[in-house]
PDB file of all heavy atoms in Angstrom:
ATOM      1  N   LEU A 295      39.766  14.728  53.832  1.00 92.00           N
ATOM      2  CA  LEU A 295      39.114  16.031  53.998  1.00 92.00           C
ATOM      3  C   LEU A 295      37.972  16.202  53.006  1.00 92.00           C
ATOM      4  O   LEU A 295      36.873  16.641  53.380  1.00 92.00           O
ATOM      5  CB  LEU A 295      40.142  17.150  53.838  1.00 92.00           C
ATOM      6  CG  LEU A 295      39.601  18.569  53.970  1.00 92.00           C
ATOM      7  CD1 LEU A 295      39.082  18.799  55.382  1.00 92.00           C
ATOM      8  CD2 LEU A 295      40.665  19.577  53.619  1.00 92.00           C
ATOM      9  N   LEU A 296      38.211  15.850  51.761  1.00 92.00           N
ATOM     10  CA  LEU A 296      37.153  15.976  50.756  1.00 92.00           C
ATOM     11  C   LEU A 296      35.976  15.054  51.050  1.00 92.00           C
ATOM     12  O   LEU A 296      34.814  15.438  50.866  1.00 92.00           O
ATOM     13  CB  LEU A 296      37.715  15.683  49.363  1.00 92.00           C
ATOM     14  CG  LEU A 296      38.637  16.743  48.778  1.00 92.00           C
ATOM     15  CD1 LEU A 296      39.208  16.269  47.445  1.00 92.00           C
ATOM     16  CD2 LEU A 296      37.926  18.062  48.607  1.00 92.00           C
ATOM     17  N   GLY A 297      36.249  13.850  51.532  1.00 92.00           N
ATOM     18  CA  GLY A 297      35.175  12.931  51.892  1.00 92.00           C
ATOM     19  C   GLY A 297      34.343  13.450  53.046  1.00 92.00           C
ATOM     20  O   GLY A 297      33.117  13.351  53.042  1.00 92.00           O
ATOM     21  N   ALA A 298      35.009  14.022  54.056  1.00 92.00           N
ATOM     22  CA  ALA A 298      34.286  14.577  55.199  1.00 92.00           C
ATOM     23  C   ALA A 298      33.401  15.740  54.770  1.00 92.00           C
ATOM     24  O   ALA A 298      32.234  15.831  55.164  1.00 92.00           O
ATOM     25  CB  ALA A 298      35.271  15.019  56.278  1.00 92.00           C
ATOM     26  N   VAL A 299      33.942  16.622  53.941  1.00 93.00           N
ATOM     27  CA  VAL A 299      33.161  17.764  53.460  1.00 93.00           C
ATOM     28  C   VAL A 299      32.008  17.286  52.576  1.00 93.00           C
ATOM     29  O   VAL A 299      30.887  17.797  52.673  1.00 93.00           O
ATOM     30  CB  VAL A 299      34.072  18.764  52.704  1.00 93.00           C
ATOM     31  CG1 VAL A 299      33.268  19.820  51.977  1.00 93.00           C
ATOM     32  CG2 VAL A 299      35.052  19.403  53.678  1.00 93.00           C
ATOM     33  N   LEU A 300      32.262  16.285  51.753  1.00 92.00           N
ATOM     34  CA  LEU A 300      31.209  15.751  50.884  1.00 92.00           C
ATOM     35  C   LEU A 300      30.045  15.192  51.695  1.00 92.00           C
ATOM     36  O   LEU A 300      28.882  15.481  51.411  1.00 92.00           O
ATOM     37  CB  LEU A 300      31.783  14.663  49.978  1.00 92.00           C
ATOM     38  CG  LEU A 300      30.772  13.914  49.118  1.00 92.00           C
ATOM     39  CD1 LEU A 300      30.292  14.817  47.988  1.00 92.00           C
ATOM     40  CD2 LEU A 300      31.368  12.647  48.579  1.00 92.00           C
ATOM     41  N   VAL A 301      30.347  14.398  52.721  1.00 92.00           N
ATOM     42  CA  VAL A 301      29.283  13.822  53.544  1.00 92.00           C
ATOM     43  C   VAL A 301      28.537  14.915  54.293  1.00 92.00           C
ATOM     44  O   VAL A 301      27.308  14.891  54.398  1.00 92.00           O
ATOM     45  CB  VAL A 301      29.854  12.758  54.508  1.00 92.00           C
ATOM     46  CG1 VAL A 301      28.819  12.330  55.529  1.00 92.00           C
ATOM     47  CG2 VAL A 301      30.334  11.559  53.714  1.00 92.00           C
ATOM     48  N   TYR A 302      29.264  15.921  54.798  1.00 92.00           N
ATOM     49  CA  TYR A 302      28.627  17.031  55.506  1.00 92.00           C
ATOM     50  C   TYR A 302      27.653  17.775  54.594  1.00 92.00           C
ATOM     51  O   TYR A 302      26.493  17.995  54.942  1.00 92.00           O
ATOM     52  CB  TYR A 302      29.706  17.979  56.033  1.00 92.00           C
ATOM     53  CG  TYR A 302      29.161  19.180  56.753  1.00 92.00           C
ATOM     54  CD1 TYR A 302      28.770  19.084  58.074  1.00 92.00           C
ATOM     55  CD2 TYR A 302      29.039  20.409  56.115  1.00 92.00           C
ATOM     56  CE1 TYR A 302      28.272  20.183  58.753  1.00 92.00           C
ATOM     57  CE2 TYR A 302      28.540  21.509  56.779  1.00 92.00           C
ATOM     58  CZ  TYR A 302      28.162  21.395  58.107  1.00 92.00           C
ATOM     59  OH  TYR A 302      27.654  22.477  58.760  1.00 92.00           O
ATOM     60  N   VAL A 303      28.116  18.138  53.407  1.00 94.00           N
ATOM     61  CA  VAL A 303      27.274  18.873  52.467  1.00 94.00           C
ATOM     62  C   VAL A 303      26.115  18.011  51.989  1.00 94.00           C
ATOM     63  O   VAL A 303      24.975  18.481  51.889  1.00 94.00           O
ATOM     64  CB  VAL A 303      28.125  19.383  51.273  1.00 94.00           C
ATOM     65  CG1 VAL A 303      27.257  19.916  50.156  1.00 94.00           C
ATOM     66  CG2 VAL A 303      29.098  20.445  51.752  1.00 94.00           C
ATOM     67  N   LEU A 304      26.374  16.753  51.721  1.00 92.00           N
ATOM     68  CA  LEU A 304      25.326  15.845  51.263  1.00 92.00           C
ATOM     69  C   LEU A 304      24.242  15.663  52.329  1.00 92.00           C
ATOM     70  O   LEU A 304      23.045  15.694  52.021  1.00 92.00           O
ATOM     71  CB  LEU A 304      25.937  14.501  50.881  1.00 92.00           C
ATOM     72  CG  LEU A 304      25.049  13.506  50.165  1.00 92.00           C
ATOM     73  CD1 LEU A 304      24.585  14.078  48.831  1.00 92.00           C
ATOM     74  CD2 LEU A 304      25.792  12.213  49.943  1.00 92.00           C
ATOM     75  N   ALA A 305      24.663  15.492  53.581  1.00 92.00           N
ATOM     76  CA  ALA A 305      23.687  15.306  54.662  1.00 92.00           C
ATOM     77  C   ALA A 305      22.819  16.551  54.837  1.00 92.00           C
ATOM     78  O   ALA A 305      21.590  16.452  54.936  1.00 92.00           O
ATOM     79  CB  ALA A 305      24.404  14.971  55.969  1.00 92.00           C
ATOM     80  N   TRP A 306      23.435  17.711  54.872  1.00 92.00           N
ATOM     81  CA  TRP A 306      22.643  18.936  55.039  1.00 92.00           C
ATOM     82  C   TRP A 306      21.789  19.212  53.813  1.00 92.00           C
ATOM     83  O   TRP A 306      20.656  19.689  53.933  1.00 92.00           O
ATOM     84  CB  TRP A 306      23.552  20.123  55.339  1.00 92.00           C
ATOM     85  CG  TRP A 306      23.958  20.148  56.765  1.00 92.00           C
ATOM     86  CD1 TRP A 306      25.188  19.807  57.274  1.00 92.00           C
ATOM     87  CD2 TRP A 306      23.144  20.475  57.883  1.00 92.00           C
ATOM     88  NE1 TRP A 306      25.171  19.915  58.633  1.00 92.00           N
ATOM     89  CE2 TRP A 306      23.933  20.332  59.041  1.00 92.00           C
ATOM     90  CE3 TRP A 306      21.820  20.881  58.028  1.00 92.00           C
ATOM     91  CZ2 TRP A 306      23.442  20.575  60.314  1.00 92.00           C
ATOM     92  CZ3 TRP A 306      21.344  21.124  59.302  1.00 92.00           C
ATOM     93  CH2 TRP A 306      22.138  20.979  60.422  1.00 92.00           C
ATOM     94  N   GLY A 307      22.306  18.923  52.632  1.00 92.00           N
ATOM     95  CA  GLY A 307      21.519  19.127  51.414  1.00 92.00           C
ATOM     96  C   GLY A 307      20.314  18.205  51.352  1.00 92.00           C
ATOM     97  O   GLY A 307      19.203  18.636  51.021  1.00 92.00           O
ATOM     98  N   LEU A 308      20.516  16.917  51.662  1.00 90.00           N
ATOM     99  CA  LEU A 308      19.384  15.982  51.693  1.00 90.00           C
ATOM    100  C   LEU A 308      18.355  16.403  52.728  1.00 90.00           C
ATOM    101  O   LEU A 308      17.141  16.322  52.494  1.00 90.00           O
ATOM    102  CB  LEU A 308      19.870  14.570  51.993  1.00 90.00           C
ATOM    103  CG  LEU A 308      20.567  13.829  50.867  1.00 90.00           C
ATOM    104  CD1 LEU A 308      21.177  12.535  51.391  1.00 90.00           C
ATOM    105  CD2 LEU A 308      19.612  13.540  49.733  1.00 90.00           C
ATOM    106  N   ASP A 309      18.825  16.871  53.867  1.00 90.00           N
ATOM    107  CA  ASP A 309      17.926  17.313  54.928  1.00 90.00           C
ATOM    108  C   ASP A 309      17.116  18.529  54.473  1.00 90.00           C
ATOM    109  O   ASP A 309      15.896  18.588  54.678  1.00 90.00           O
ATOM    110  CB  ASP A 309      18.730  17.631  56.181  1.00 90.00           C
ATOM    111  CG  ASP A 309      17.861  17.732  57.412  1.00 90.00           C
ATOM    112  OD1 ASP A 309      16.972  16.873  57.565  1.00 90.00           O
ATOM    113  OD2 ASP A 309      18.078  18.644  58.221  1.00 90.00           O
ATOM    114  N   ALA A 310      17.775  19.480  53.846  1.00 90.00           N
ATOM    115  CA  ALA A 310      17.070  20.683  53.386  1.00 90.00           C
ATOM    116  C   ALA A 310      16.066  20.352  52.286  1.00 90.00           C
ATOM    117  O   ALA A 310      14.917  20.837  52.314  1.00 90.00           O
ATOM    118  CB  ALA A 310      18.085  21.708  52.876  1.00 90.00           C
ATOM    119  N   ILE A 311      16.472  19.526  51.329  1.00 87.00           N
ATOM    120  CA  ILE A 311      15.547  19.139  50.261  1.00 87.00           C
ATOM    121  C   ILE A 311      14.379  18.356  50.832  1.00 87.00           C
ATOM    122  O   ILE A 311      13.216  18.581  50.461  1.00 87.00           O
ATOM    123  CB  ILE A 311      16.291  18.315  49.187  1.00 87.00           C
ATOM    124  CG1 ILE A 311      17.263  19.195  48.413  1.00 87.00           C
ATOM    125  CG2 ILE A 311      15.306  17.648  48.229  1.00 87.00           C
ATOM    126  CD1 ILE A 311      18.219  18.424  47.525  1.00 87.00           C
ATOM    127  N   GLY A 312      14.664  17.457  51.758  1.00 86.00           N
ATOM    128  CA  GLY A 312      13.607  16.657  52.374  1.00 86.00           C
ATOM    129  C   GLY A 312      12.608  17.505  53.127  1.00 86.00           C
ATOM    130  O   GLY A 312      11.394  17.320  53.009  1.00 86.00           O
ATOM    131  N   HIS A 313      13.095  18.473  53.898  1.00 84.00           N
ATOM    132  CA  HIS A 313      12.171  19.340  54.632  1.00 84.00           C
ATOM    133  C   HIS A 313      11.376  20.233  53.678  1.00 84.00           C
ATOM    134  O   HIS A 313      10.211  20.522  53.924  1.00 84.00           O
ATOM    135  CB  HIS A 313      12.923  20.176  55.669  1.00 84.00           C
ATOM    136  CG  HIS A 313      13.193  19.424  56.925  1.00 84.00           C
ATOM    137  ND1 HIS A 313      14.368  18.735  57.130  1.00 84.00           N
ATOM    138  CD2 HIS A 313      12.434  19.205  58.022  1.00 84.00           C
ATOM    139  CE1 HIS A 313      14.312  18.154  58.309  1.00 84.00           C
ATOM    140  NE2 HIS A 313      13.155  18.415  58.879  1.00 84.00           N
ATOM    141  N   TRP A 314      12.006  20.669  52.593  1.00 83.00           N
ATOM    142  CA  TRP A 314      11.284  21.492  51.629  1.00 83.00           C
ATOM    143  C   TRP A 314      10.186  20.676  50.944  1.00 83.00           C
ATOM    144  O   TRP A 314       9.069  21.162  50.766  1.00 83.00           O
ATOM    145  CB  TRP A 314      12.251  22.050  50.587  1.00 83.00           C
ATOM    146  CG  TRP A 314      11.599  22.963  49.616  1.00 83.00           C
ATOM    147  CD1 TRP A 314      11.236  24.260  49.816  1.00 83.00           C
ATOM    148  CD2 TRP A 314      11.209  22.642  48.277  1.00 83.00           C
ATOM    149  NE1 TRP A 314      10.652  24.764  48.684  1.00 83.00           N
ATOM    150  CE2 TRP A 314      10.615  23.797  47.724  1.00 83.00           C
ATOM    151  CE3 TRP A 314      11.301  21.496  47.499  1.00 83.00           C
ATOM    152  CZ2 TRP A 314      10.135  23.833  46.429  1.00 83.00           C
ATOM    153  CZ3 TRP A 314      10.818  21.536  46.206  1.00 83.00           C
ATOM    154  CH2 TRP A 314      10.245  22.696  45.687  1.00 83.00           C
ATOM    155  N   LEU A 315      10.502  19.435  50.560  1.00 80.00           N
ATOM    156  CA  LEU A 315       9.498  18.584  49.921  1.00 80.00           C
ATOM    157  C   LEU A 315       8.431  18.124  50.908  1.00 80.00           C
ATOM    158  O   LEU A 315       7.275  17.927  50.534  1.00 80.00           O
ATOM    159  CB  LEU A 315      10.169  17.350  49.298  1.00 80.00           C
ATOM    160  CG  LEU A 315      10.996  17.575  48.053  1.00 80.00           C
ATOM    161  CD1 LEU A 315      11.714  16.295  47.667  1.00 80.00           C
ATOM    162  CD2 LEU A 315      10.142  18.069  46.912  1.00 80.00           C
ATOM    163  N   HIS A 316       8.821  17.950  52.163  1.00 75.00           N
ATOM    164  CA  HIS A 316       7.895  17.448  53.176  1.00 75.00           C
ATOM    165  C   HIS A 316       6.900  18.522  53.620  1.00 75.00           C
ATOM    166  O   HIS A 316       5.805  18.205  54.069  1.00 75.00           O
ATOM    167  CB  HIS A 316       8.693  16.942  54.375  1.00 75.00           C
ATOM    168  CG  HIS A 316       7.975  15.973  55.240  1.00 75.00           C
ATOM    169  ND1 HIS A 316       7.548  14.755  54.782  1.00 75.00           N
ATOM    170  CD2 HIS A 316       7.602  16.040  56.541  1.00 75.00           C
ATOM    171  CE1 HIS A 316       6.941  14.113  55.764  1.00 75.00           C
ATOM    172  NE2 HIS A 316       6.968  14.866  56.837  1.00 75.00           N
ATOM    173  N   ALA A 317       7.311  19.780  53.505  1.00 74.00           N
ATOM    174  CA  ALA A 317       6.430  20.878  53.921  1.00 74.00           C
ATOM    175  C   ALA A 317       5.261  20.996  52.947  1.00 74.00           C
ATOM    176  O   ALA A 317       5.400  20.798  51.745  1.00 74.00           O
ATOM    177  CB  ALA A 317       7.217  22.184  53.968  1.00 74.00           C
ATOM    178  N   SER A 318       4.121  21.286  53.470  1.00 66.00           N
ATOM    179  CA  SER A 318       2.935  21.378  52.611  1.00 66.00           C
ATOM    180  C   SER A 318       2.977  22.652  51.781  1.00 66.00           C
ATOM    181  O   SER A 318       3.398  23.705  52.247  1.00 66.00           O
ATOM    182  CB  SER A 318       1.676  21.361  53.473  1.00 66.00           C
ATOM    183  OG  SER A 318       1.694  22.461  54.365  1.00 66.00           O
ATOM    184  N   GLY A 319       2.546  22.545  50.556  1.00 66.00           N
ATOM    185  CA  GLY A 319       2.436  23.708  49.684  1.00 66.00           C
ATOM    186  C   GLY A 319       3.640  23.997  48.819  1.00 66.00           C
ATOM    187  O   GLY A 319       3.530  24.696  47.831  1.00 66.00           O
ATOM    188  N   HIS A 320       4.823  23.482  49.161  1.00 62.00           N
ATOM    189  CA  HIS A 320       6.002  23.783  48.358  1.00 62.00           C
ATOM    190  C   HIS A 320       6.029  22.976  47.070  1.00 62.00           C
ATOM    191  O   HIS A 320       6.310  23.515  46.007  1.00 62.00           O
ATOM    192  CB  HIS A 320       7.283  23.520  49.150  1.00 62.00           C
ATOM    193  CG  HIS A 320       7.543  24.539  50.199  1.00 62.00           C
ATOM    194  ND1 HIS A 320       7.757  25.852  49.928  1.00 62.00           N
ATOM    195  CD2 HIS A 320       7.609  24.426  51.544  1.00 62.00           C
ATOM    196  CE1 HIS A 320       7.945  26.519  51.029  1.00 62.00           C
ATOM    197  NE2 HIS A 320       7.857  25.673  52.042  1.00 62.00           N
ATOM    198  N   ALA A 321       5.774  21.715  47.166  1.00 61.00           N
ATOM    199  CA  ALA A 321       5.801  20.841  45.990  1.00 61.00           C
ATOM    200  C   ALA A 321       4.560  19.950  46.056  1.00 61.00           C
ATOM    201  O   ALA A 321       4.623  18.813  46.506  1.00 61.00           O
ATOM    202  CB  ALA A 321       7.082  20.027  45.966  1.00 61.00           C
ATOM    203  N   SER A 322       3.458  20.479  45.609  1.00 66.00           N
ATOM    204  CA  SER A 322       2.189  19.772  45.774  1.00 66.00           C
ATOM    205  C   SER A 322       2.075  18.537  44.885  1.00 66.00           C
ATOM    206  O   SER A 322       1.318  17.622  45.202  1.00 66.00           O
ATOM    207  CB  SER A 322       1.030  20.724  45.487  1.00 66.00           C
ATOM    208  OG  SER A 322       1.160  21.247  44.182  1.00 66.00           O
ATOM    209  N   ASN A 323       2.840  18.470  43.791  1.00 71.00           N
ATOM    210  CA  ASN A 323       2.749  17.308  42.911  1.00 71.00           C
ATOM    211  C   ASN A 323       3.703  16.183  43.303  1.00 71.00           C
ATOM    212  O   ASN A 323       3.752  15.155  42.651  1.00 71.00           O
ATOM    213  CB  ASN A 323       2.997  17.725  41.451  1.00 71.00           C
ATOM    214  CG  ASN A 323       4.347  18.386  41.278  1.00 71.00           C
ATOM    215  OD1 ASN A 323       4.971  18.790  42.243  1.00 71.00           O
ATOM    216  ND2 ASN A 323       4.781  18.506  40.043  1.00 71.00           N
TER     217      ASN A 323
END
Side-chain angles (χ1 to χ4, degrees):
L295 179 65
L296 288 175
V299 170
L300 174 73
V301 170
Y302 179 81
V303 169
L304 190 62
W306 280 105
L308 285 171
D309 195 43
I311 290 169
H313 278 93
W314 183 77
L315 288 173
H316 202 62
S318 60
H320 287 298
S322 58
N323 58 345

